[in-house]
Amino acid sequence: MMKKFLIALGGFAFWGAVALAHAQTPSAAPAAAPVAEPQAGFVKSVRGNVQLLSTAGTPRTASAGDALTAVDRIVTGPDSSAAVVLRDDTTLVVGPSSRLDLKEFHFNATTHEGGVLVSLLRGSMRMITGLIGKTNPDAIRVETQTATIGIRGTDFIVQTDGQP
């Protein structure tokens, strides 16, 4: 009896919050806000000097928990590294003195369809693929200065010196 009462009470609270939010919504459409890039993942850990650069080239110091968009560049200094986790649970570990572009990331959590394209411009990277790599390995691509790599495994390391 008490359980049914609590469920009903929770339902009333939910619908009350929805009605309150609807009542507080202005009737006129707000001015168009800039469309933010969808979140591709987050920074899991940072060691040393790590910067994130947006498409506009604006650098920001990376911290654990920072959002990562599908067009960010990760730049690590000497003796620095970063680990990022994408929405499909792909993990990227970027080594010291590296530049990595997350050029493309899309993922449908329901169907597990998507794609990942990263470009390692300099340095090293370890990738442990997530759901996209497990369901469609051909959808994971890693570019370097001299080659594009098609991935058939789920855990690998790539290193480049950045010279063509």
Side-chain angles (χ1 to χ4, degrees):
M1 178 70 172
M2 184 62 135
K3 184 177 178 183
K4 288 182 182 179
F5 173 74
L6 290 175
I7 291 171
L9 185 61
F12 288 130
F14 172 76
W15 287 111
V18 169
L20 181 61
H22 182 65
Q24 292 177 347
T25 303
S27 58
V35 177
E37 292 291 332
Q39 182 172 334
F42 68 95
V43 177
K44 183 175 182 180
S45 64
V46 172
R47 185 183 63 130
N49 180 21
V50 178
Q51 299 285 316
L52 299 176
L53 278 74
S54 66
T55 54
T58 309
R60 65 189 193 276
T61 302
S63 300
D66 284 353
L68 189 68
T69 68
V71 292
D72 278 338
R73 173 177 284 177
I74 302 166
V75 180
T76 60
D79 300 322
S80 301
S81 62
V84 299
V85 178
L86 303 179
R87 284 191 354 251
D88 76 320
D89 288 331
T90 292
T91 301
L92 302 169
V93 180
V94 185
S97 300
S98 297
R99 285 181 101 88
L100 177 81
D101 283 351
L102 181 56
K103 287 185 156 185
E104 180 184 324
F105 178 83
H106 58 280
F107 177 65
N108 182 319
T110 304
T111 63
H112 296 171
E113 292 178 356
V116 178
L117 172 58
V118 296
S119 179
L120 183 62
L121 304 172
R122 180 181 73 218
S124 62
M125 171 203 70
R126 178 180 182 194
M127 178 186 272
I128 304 166
T129 61
L131 293 172
I132 295 171
K134 289 173 180 43
T135 58
N136 186 9
D138 291 335
I140 305 287
R141 291 189 3 207
V142 177
E143 295 178 340
T144 65
Q145 294 288 332
T146 57
T148 300
I149 304 167
I151 305 306
R152 297 294 178 266
T154 58
D155 186 349
F156 58 92
I157 298 172
V158 179
Q159 185 170 349
T160 181
D161 63 7
Q163 303 298 319

